[in-house]
Amino acid sequence: MTDTAKPVRLLGLSGSIRRHSHCTAVLNTLAGSLDGKAEMTLFPLNDIPPYDPDLDAENTPAPATALRDSIATADGLVVISPEYNYGMSGVLKNALDWASRPAMKSPVRGKPILIMTASPAFTGGVRAQHEMRETLSGMMGRVIARPQVVIGMVHEKIKDGRLTDQAALDFALAAIDDLLSEIALLRGATGA
């Protein structure tokens, strides 16, 4: 499916910075369940400062530069958020604002992206998906088209920091497979 000479590097971004974040637990579980198909690292958003255009030039804060560099070196992104007031978390939106620069040349441009939401509500954060898709598409990211990964009642599906609900895990891993297929298509088209 993908070029075995060059491992696929995925970057996970969790829109929750809580110590026992359900979203981060989902990403950690996925990272440990890839069975050699890809490598996924997580970039914590805890140290990303509020976006300030005055600092976005030669004085770009180191955490924002590190985020951009991590996105640039990844083959694809896995972005998950809780739902706050029908939208993505402010932490994630802020990080995406930093990642969106420089305009039209951001590291997100053309990057295959899988979006997910997780929430204790039975709706699983589905309303945040639209906002995430709009923001990432506005950044010229390649949000993959597939059935939405929405993990409702997530607090009942996480045990000891791992996603233990097999149906939710299987569906999320199938979404990762779709992301890897998109990356493979992109690599084939560019000869990467």
Side-chain angles (χ1 to χ4, degrees):
M1 182 154 80
T2 57
D3 179 4
T4 55
K6 184 178 177 191
V8 176
R9 296 163 309 202
L10 302 177
L11 183 69
L13 301 177
S14 171
S16 174
I17 57 174
R18 289 178 50 234
R19 187 174 344 137
H20 300 293
S21 162
H22 298 129
C23 290
T24 304
V26 169
L27 285 178
N28 281 327
T29 304
L30 291 172
S33 302
L34 295 177
D35 296 329
K37 293 189 264 186
E39 301 167 356
M40 181 160 57
T41 58
L42 277 58
F43 189 99
L45 303 179
N46 306 57
D47 296 329
I48 304 292
Y51 181 72
D52 181 348
D54 290 337
L55 297 179
D56 192 15
E58 27 199 75
N59 298 321
T60 302
T65 299
L67 172 64
R68 289 175 181 163
D69 292 346
S70 294
I71 291 170
T73 59
D75 296 306
L77 305 179
V78 180
V79 183
I80 186 169
S81 182
E83 181 180 278
Y84 294 156
N85 302 310
Y86 290 16
M88 74 176 106
S89 71
V91 166
L92 179 59
K93 177 63 168 77
N94 179 65
L96 294 178
D97 287 343
W98 278 109
S100 72
R101 314 306 294 165
M104 310 304 284
K105 296 179 185 169
S106 86
V108 176
R109 183 183 175 111
K111 191 79 57 178
I113 304 167
L114 170 64
I115 59 174
M116 303 179 174
T117 52
S119 169
F122 76 93
T123 55
V126 69
R127 293 169 295 212
Q129 292 255 346
H130 175 73
E131 185 180 37
M132 292 170 69
R133 183 175 301 280
E134 286 293 305
T135 297
L136 288 160
S137 295
M139 297 166 64
M140 297 190 188
R142 295 169 60 107
V143 180
I144 64 168
R146 69 161 332 274
Q148 295 176 331
V149 178
V150 176
I151 304 172
M153 309 294 284
V154 69
H155 62 293
E156 296 176 0
K157 298 174 181 176
I158 302 288
K159 303 284 185 254
D160 299 320
R162 307 291 292 169
L163 176 61
T164 57
D165 183 89
Q166 196 60 49
L169 180 58
D170 289 346
F171 191 71
L173 286 170
I176 295 282
D177 285 342
D178 289 346
L179 176 62
L180 295 176
S181 293
E182 182 74 13
I183 292 167
L185 285 172
L186 188 60
R187 281 183 171 183
T190 62

PDB file of all heavy atoms in Angstrom, residues 149-176:
ATOM      1  N   VAL A 149     -15.241  10.001  12.096  1.00  0.00           N
ATOM      2  CA  VAL A 149     -14.850   9.260  13.294  1.00  0.00           C
ATOM      3  C   VAL A 149     -15.306  10.087  14.490  1.00  0.00           C
ATOM      4  O   VAL A 149     -14.772  11.160  14.758  1.00  0.00           O
ATOM      5  CB  VAL A 149     -13.329   9.012  13.357  1.00  0.00           C
ATOM      6  CG1 VAL A 149     -12.979   8.273  14.644  1.00  0.00           C
ATOM      7  CG2 VAL A 149     -12.868   8.240  12.136  1.00  0.00           C
ATOM      8  N   VAL A 150     -16.335   9.588  15.152  1.00  0.00           N
ATOM      9  CA  VAL A 150     -16.965  10.264  16.275  1.00  0.00           C
ATOM     10  C   VAL A 150     -17.063   9.244  17.402  1.00  0.00           C
ATOM     11  O   VAL A 150     -17.686   8.194  17.225  1.00  0.00           O
ATOM     12  CB  VAL A 150     -18.375  10.762  15.879  1.00  0.00           C
ATOM     13  CG1 VAL A 150     -19.075  11.386  17.053  1.00  0.00           C
ATOM     14  CG2 VAL A 150     -18.293  11.730  14.713  1.00  0.00           C
ATOM     15  N   ILE A 151     -16.443   9.536  18.530  1.00  0.00           N
ATOM     16  CA  ILE A 151     -16.457   8.586  19.643  1.00  0.00           C
ATOM     17  C   ILE A 151     -17.310   9.177  20.757  1.00  0.00           C
ATOM     18  O   ILE A 151     -16.859  10.032  21.523  1.00  0.00           O
ATOM     19  CB  ILE A 151     -15.033   8.266  20.131  1.00  0.00           C
ATOM     20  CG1 ILE A 151     -14.191   7.747  18.961  1.00  0.00           C
ATOM     21  CG2 ILE A 151     -15.083   7.241  21.274  1.00  0.00           C
ATOM     22  CD1 ILE A 151     -12.726   7.572  19.274  1.00  0.00           C
ATOM     23  N   GLY A 152     -18.567   8.746  20.806  1.00  0.00           N
ATOM     24  CA  GLY A 152     -19.486   9.189  21.841  1.00  0.00           C
ATOM     25  C   GLY A 152     -19.295   8.388  23.114  1.00  0.00           C
ATOM     26  O   GLY A 152     -18.756   7.289  23.094  1.00  0.00           O
ATOM     27  N   MET A 153     -19.736   8.972  24.231  1.00  0.00           N
ATOM     28  CA  MET A 153     -19.623   8.321  25.545  1.00  0.00           C
ATOM     29  C   MET A 153     -18.188   7.868  25.785  1.00  0.00           C
ATOM     30  O   MET A 153     -17.935   6.798  26.343  1.00  0.00           O
ATOM     31  CB  MET A 153     -20.586   7.137  25.638  1.00  0.00           C
ATOM     32  CG  MET A 153     -22.032   7.457  25.246  1.00  0.00           C
ATOM     33  SD  MET A 153     -22.845   8.611  26.354  1.00  0.00           S
ATOM     34  CE  MET A 153     -23.183   7.550  27.720  1.00  0.00           C
ATOM     35  N   VAL A 154     -17.247   8.693  25.354  1.00  0.00           N
ATOM     36  CA  VAL A 154     -15.833   8.298  25.372  1.00  0.00           C
ATOM     37  C   VAL A 154     -15.345   7.981  26.786  1.00  0.00           C
ATOM     38  O   VAL A 154     -14.476   7.127  26.966  1.00  0.00           O
ATOM     39  CB  VAL A 154     -14.940   9.371  24.691  1.00  0.00           C
ATOM     40  CG1 VAL A 154     -14.869  10.646  25.523  1.00  0.00           C
ATOM     41  CG2 VAL A 154     -13.552   8.823  24.399  1.00  0.00           C
ATOM     42  N   HIS A 155     -15.908   8.642  27.787  1.00  0.00           N
ATOM     43  CA  HIS A 155     -15.476   8.400  29.172  1.00  0.00           C
ATOM     44  C   HIS A 155     -15.720   6.958  29.607  1.00  0.00           C
ATOM     45  O   HIS A 155     -15.054   6.461  30.512  1.00  0.00           O
ATOM     46  CB  HIS A 155     -16.165   9.379  30.124  1.00  0.00           C
ATOM     47  CG  HIS A 155     -17.650   9.250  30.148  1.00  0.00           C
ATOM     48  ND1 HIS A 155     -18.437   9.566  29.057  1.00  0.00           N
ATOM     49  CD2 HIS A 155     -18.490   8.826  31.118  1.00  0.00           C
ATOM     50  CE1 HIS A 155     -19.710   9.355  29.362  1.00  0.00           C
ATOM     51  NE2 HIS A 155     -19.765   8.902  30.606  1.00  0.00           N
ATOM     52  N   GLU A 156     -16.649   6.276  28.940  1.00  0.00           N
ATOM     53  CA  GLU A 156     -16.918   4.873  29.244  1.00  0.00           C
ATOM     54  C   GLU A 156     -16.069   3.930  28.393  1.00  0.00           C
ATOM     55  O   GLU A 156     -16.085   2.720  28.606  1.00  0.00           O
ATOM     56  CB  GLU A 156     -18.400   4.562  29.017  1.00  0.00           C
ATOM     57  CG  GLU A 156     -19.323   5.329  29.951  1.00  0.00           C
ATOM     58  CD  GLU A 156     -20.794   5.083  29.654  1.00  0.00           C
ATOM     59  OE1 GLU A 156     -21.106   4.308  28.716  1.00  0.00           O
ATOM     60  OE2 GLU A 156     -21.624   5.673  30.374  1.00  0.00           O
ATOM     61  N   LYS A 157     -15.324   4.471  27.438  1.00  0.00           N
ATOM     62  CA  LYS A 157     -14.558   3.657  26.498  1.00  0.00           C
ATOM     63  C   LYS A 157     -13.051   3.769  26.704  1.00  0.00           C
ATOM     64  O   LYS A 157     -12.285   3.156  25.972  1.00  0.00           O
ATOM     65  CB  LYS A 157     -14.925   4.058  25.061  1.00  0.00           C
ATOM     66  CG  LYS A 157     -16.395   3.815  24.764  1.00  0.00           C
ATOM     67  CD  LYS A 157     -16.814   4.339  23.415  1.00  0.00           C
ATOM     68  CE  LYS A 157     -18.309   4.060  23.219  1.00  0.00           C
ATOM     69  NZ  LYS A 157     -18.797   4.629  21.976  1.00  0.00           N
ATOM     70  N   ILE A 158     -12.653   4.541  27.698  1.00  0.00           N
ATOM     71  CA  ILE A 158     -11.237   4.709  28.031  1.00  0.00           C
ATOM     72  C   ILE A 158     -10.985   4.047  29.386  1.00  0.00           C
ATOM     73  O   ILE A 158     -11.673   4.346  30.361  1.00  0.00           O
ATOM     74  CB  ILE A 158     -10.845   6.208  28.112  1.00  0.00           C
ATOM     75  CG1 ILE A 158     -11.137   6.935  26.799  1.00  0.00           C
ATOM     76  CG2 ILE A 158      -9.405   6.373  28.557  1.00  0.00           C
ATOM     77  CD1 ILE A 158     -10.217   6.605  25.664  1.00  0.00           C
ATOM     78  N   LYS A 159     -10.017   3.165  29.406  1.00  0.00           N
ATOM     79  CA  LYS A 159      -9.615   2.504  30.660  1.00  0.00           C
ATOM     80  C   LYS A 159      -8.097   2.578  30.759  1.00  0.00           C
ATOM     81  O   LYS A 159      -7.392   2.194  29.824  1.00  0.00           O
ATOM     82  CB  LYS A 159     -10.047   1.033  30.686  1.00  0.00           C
ATOM     83  CG  LYS A 159     -11.525   0.798  30.489  1.00  0.00           C
ATOM     84  CD  LYS A 159     -12.316   1.136  31.732  1.00  0.00           C
ATOM     85  CE  LYS A 159     -13.770   0.767  31.548  1.00  0.00           C
ATOM     86  NZ  LYS A 159     -14.665   1.876  31.355  1.00  0.00           N
ATOM     87  N   ASP A 160      -7.610   3.080  31.879  1.00  0.00           N
ATOM     88  CA  ASP A 160      -6.162   3.178  32.110  1.00  0.00           C
ATOM     89  C   ASP A 160      -5.443   3.884  30.954  1.00  0.00           C
ATOM     90  O   ASP A 160      -4.378   3.459  30.514  1.00  0.00           O
ATOM     91  CB  ASP A 160      -5.550   1.789  32.339  1.00  0.00           C
ATOM     92  CG  ASP A 160      -6.150   1.104  33.561  1.00  0.00           C
ATOM     93  OD1 ASP A 160      -6.377   1.802  34.577  1.00  0.00           O
ATOM     94  OD2 ASP A 160      -6.394  -0.108  33.498  1.00  0.00           O
ATOM     95  N   GLY A 161      -6.058   4.947  30.454  1.00  0.00           N
ATOM     96  CA  GLY A 161      -5.430   5.756  29.418  1.00  0.00           C
ATOM     97  C   GLY A 161      -5.442   5.149  28.026  1.00  0.00           C
ATOM     98  O   GLY A 161      -4.711   5.602  27.143  1.00  0.00           O
ATOM     99  N   ARG A 162      -6.287   4.137  27.794  1.00  0.00           N
ATOM    100  CA  ARG A 162      -6.354   3.463  26.488  1.00  0.00           C
ATOM    101  C   ARG A 162      -7.813   3.375  26.032  1.00  0.00           C
ATOM    102  O   ARG A 162      -8.715   3.169  26.857  1.00  0.00           O
ATOM    103  CB  ARG A 162      -5.799   2.031  26.579  1.00  0.00           C
ATOM    104  CG  ARG A 162      -4.424   1.883  27.178  1.00  0.00           C
ATOM    105  CD  ARG A 162      -3.318   2.428  26.363  1.00  0.00           C
ATOM    106  NE  ARG A 162      -3.138   1.661  25.150  1.00  0.00           N
ATOM    107  CZ  ARG A 162      -2.360   2.041  24.145  1.00  0.00           C
ATOM    108  NH1 ARG A 162      -1.709   3.172  24.225  1.00  0.00           N
ATOM    109  NH2 ARG A 162      -2.221   1.305  23.077  1.00  0.00           N
ATOM    110  N   LEU A 163      -8.018   3.489  24.738  1.00  0.00           N
ATOM    111  CA  LEU A 163      -9.333   3.259  24.157  1.00  0.00           C
ATOM    112  C   LEU A 163      -9.560   1.752  24.130  1.00  0.00           C
ATOM    113  O   LEU A 163      -8.843   1.019  23.443  1.00  0.00           O
ATOM    114  CB  LEU A 163      -9.398   3.832  22.733  1.00  0.00           C
ATOM    115  CG  LEU A 163     -10.685   3.595  21.941  1.00  0.00           C
ATOM    116  CD1 LEU A 163     -11.884   4.231  22.636  1.00  0.00           C
ATOM    117  CD2 LEU A 163     -10.537   4.126  20.518  1.00  0.00           C
ATOM    118  N   THR A 164     -10.540   1.275  24.900  1.00  0.00           N
ATOM    119  CA  THR A 164     -10.752  -0.160  25.035  1.00  0.00           C
ATOM    120  C   THR A 164     -11.995  -0.659  24.304  1.00  0.00           C
ATOM    121  O   THR A 164     -12.197  -1.870  24.205  1.00  0.00           O
ATOM    122  CB  THR A 164     -10.865  -0.563  26.519  1.00  0.00           C
ATOM    123  OG1 THR A 164     -11.928   0.186  27.127  1.00  0.00           O
ATOM    124  CG2 THR A 164      -9.559  -0.292  27.253  1.00  0.00           C
ATOM    125  N   ASP A 165     -12.818   0.247  23.795  1.00  0.00           N
ATOM    126  CA  ASP A 165     -14.000  -0.159  23.050  1.00  0.00           C
ATOM    127  C   ASP A 165     -13.559  -0.642  21.670  1.00  0.00           C
ATOM    128  O   ASP A 165     -13.066   0.140  20.861  1.00  0.00           O
ATOM    129  CB  ASP A 165     -14.973   1.022  22.923  1.00  0.00           C
ATOM    130  CG  ASP A 165     -16.241   0.634  22.217  1.00  0.00           C
ATOM    131  OD1 ASP A 165     -17.180   0.200  22.895  1.00  0.00           O
ATOM    132  OD2 ASP A 165     -16.286   0.766  20.964  1.00  0.00           O
ATOM    133  N   GLN A 166     -13.714  -1.939  21.419  1.00  0.00           N
ATOM    134  CA  GLN A 166     -13.164  -2.528  20.199  1.00  0.00           C
ATOM    135  C   GLN A 166     -13.806  -1.972  18.938  1.00  0.00           C
ATOM    136  O   GLN A 166     -13.137  -1.748  17.934  1.00  0.00           O
ATOM    137  CB  GLN A 166     -13.286  -4.058  20.234  1.00  0.00           C
ATOM    138  CG  GLN A 166     -12.419  -4.748  19.203  1.00  0.00           C
ATOM    139  CD  GLN A 166     -10.926  -4.464  19.371  1.00  0.00           C
ATOM    140  OE1 GLN A 166     -10.387  -4.581  20.470  1.00  0.00           O
ATOM    141  NE2 GLN A 166     -10.260  -4.073  18.288  1.00  0.00           N
ATOM    142  N   ALA A 167     -15.117  -1.741  18.966  1.00  0.00           N
ATOM    143  CA  ALA A 167     -15.795  -1.212  17.783  1.00  0.00           C
ATOM    144  C   ALA A 167     -15.273   0.182  17.440  1.00  0.00           C
ATOM    145  O   ALA A 167     -15.001   0.489  16.270  1.00  0.00           O
ATOM    146  CB  ALA A 167     -17.302  -1.183  17.995  1.00  0.00           C
ATOM    147  N   ALA A 168     -15.117   1.027  18.448  1.00  0.00           N
ATOM    148  CA  ALA A 168     -14.595   2.383  18.213  1.00  0.00           C
ATOM    149  C   ALA A 168     -13.155   2.321  17.720  1.00  0.00           C
ATOM    150  O   ALA A 168     -12.768   3.052  16.796  1.00  0.00           O
ATOM    151  CB  ALA A 168     -14.695   3.214  19.488  1.00  0.00           C
ATOM    152  N   LEU A 169     -12.361   1.446  18.318  1.00  0.00           N
ATOM    153  CA  LEU A 169     -10.962   1.307  17.903  1.00  0.00           C
ATOM    154  C   LEU A 169     -10.866   0.798  16.462  1.00  0.00           C
ATOM    155  O   LEU A 169     -10.096   1.346  15.664  1.00  0.00           O
ATOM    156  CB  LEU A 169     -10.221   0.373  18.857  1.00  0.00           C
ATOM    157  CG  LEU A 169      -8.743   0.125  18.543  1.00  0.00           C
ATOM    158  CD1 LEU A 169      -7.949   1.425  18.502  1.00  0.00           C
ATOM    159  CD2 LEU A 169      -8.142  -0.845  19.564  1.00  0.00           C
ATOM    160  N   ASP A 170     -11.643  -0.201  16.134  1.00  0.00           N
ATOM    161  CA  ASP A 170     -11.616  -0.749  14.771  1.00  0.00           C
ATOM    162  C   ASP A 170     -12.014   0.308  13.747  1.00  0.00           C
ATOM    163  O   ASP A 170     -11.399   0.412  12.676  1.00  0.00           O
ATOM    164  CB  ASP A 170     -12.536  -1.967  14.644  1.00  0.00           C
ATOM    165  CG  ASP A 170     -12.000  -3.191  15.371  1.00  0.00           C
ATOM    166  OD1 ASP A 170     -10.800  -3.205  15.752  1.00  0.00           O
ATOM    167  OD2 ASP A 170     -12.791  -4.138  15.590  1.00  0.00           O
ATOM    168  N   PHE A 171     -13.030   1.101  14.063  1.00  0.00           N
ATOM    169  CA  PHE A 171     -13.488   2.133  13.133  1.00  0.00           C
ATOM    170  C   PHE A 171     -12.414   3.213  12.962  1.00  0.00           C
ATOM    171  O   PHE A 171     -12.154   3.667  11.843  1.00  0.00           O
ATOM    172  CB  PHE A 171     -14.799   2.746  13.632  1.00  0.00           C
ATOM    173  CG  PHE A 171     -15.466   3.624  12.612  1.00  0.00           C
ATOM    174  CD1 PHE A 171     -16.065   3.069  11.488  1.00  0.00           C
ATOM    175  CD2 PHE A 171     -15.497   4.993  12.772  1.00  0.00           C
ATOM    176  CE1 PHE A 171     -16.685   3.878  10.538  1.00  0.00           C
ATOM    177  CE2 PHE A 171     -16.108   5.806  11.820  1.00  0.00           C
ATOM    178  CZ  PHE A 171     -16.707   5.249  10.706  1.00  0.00           C
ATOM    179  N   ALA A 172     -11.771   3.600  14.060  1.00  0.00           N
ATOM    180  CA  ALA A 172     -10.709   4.605  13.988  1.00  0.00           C
ATOM    181  C   ALA A 172      -9.503   4.071  13.215  1.00  0.00           C
ATOM    182  O   ALA A 172      -8.885   4.799  12.434  1.00  0.00           O
ATOM    183  CB  ALA A 172     -10.306   5.044  15.390  1.00  0.00           C
ATOM    184  N   LEU A 173      -9.177   2.797  13.413  1.00  0.00           N
ATOM    185  CA  LEU A 173      -8.052   2.213  12.669  1.00  0.00           C
ATOM    186  C   LEU A 173      -8.375   2.089  11.177  1.00  0.00           C
ATOM    187  O   LEU A 173      -7.485   2.266  10.333  1.00  0.00           O
ATOM    188  CB  LEU A 173      -7.676   0.847  13.251  1.00  0.00           C
ATOM    189  CG  LEU A 173      -6.945   0.908  14.596  1.00  0.00           C
ATOM    190  CD1 LEU A 173      -6.832  -0.485  15.211  1.00  0.00           C
ATOM    191  CD2 LEU A 173      -5.572   1.548  14.445  1.00  0.00           C
ATOM    192  N   ALA A 174      -9.628   1.838  10.841  1.00  0.00           N
ATOM    193  CA  ALA A 174     -10.030   1.825   9.427  1.00  0.00           C
ATOM    194  C   ALA A 174      -9.866   3.217   8.828  1.00  0.00           C
ATOM    195  O   ALA A 174      -9.465   3.368   7.667  1.00  0.00           O
ATOM    196  CB  ALA A 174     -11.474   1.344   9.285  1.00  0.00           C
ATOM    197  N   ALA A 175     -10.129   4.242   9.630  1.00  0.00           N
ATOM    198  CA  ALA A 175      -9.932   5.619   9.171  1.00  0.00           C
ATOM    199  C   ALA A 175      -8.447   5.906   8.955  1.00  0.00           C
ATOM    200  O   ALA A 175      -8.071   6.578   7.990  1.00  0.00           O
ATOM    201  CB  ALA A 175     -10.528   6.598  10.182  1.00  0.00           C
ATOM    202  N   ILE A 176      -7.607   5.385   9.831  1.00  0.00           N
ATOM    203  CA  ILE A 176      -6.158   5.522   9.647  1.00  0.00           C
ATOM    204  C   ILE A 176      -5.739   4.850   8.341  1.00  0.00           C
ATOM    205  O   ILE A 176      -4.925   5.392   7.580  1.00  0.00           O
ATOM    206  CB  ILE A 176      -5.381   4.915  10.837  1.00  0.00           C
ATOM    207  CG1 ILE A 176      -5.648   5.691  12.125  1.00  0.00           C
ATOM    208  CG2 ILE A 176      -3.883   4.837  10.525  1.00  0.00           C
ATOM    209  CD1 ILE A 176      -4.904   6.987  12.285  1.00  0.00           C
TER     210      ILE A 176
END
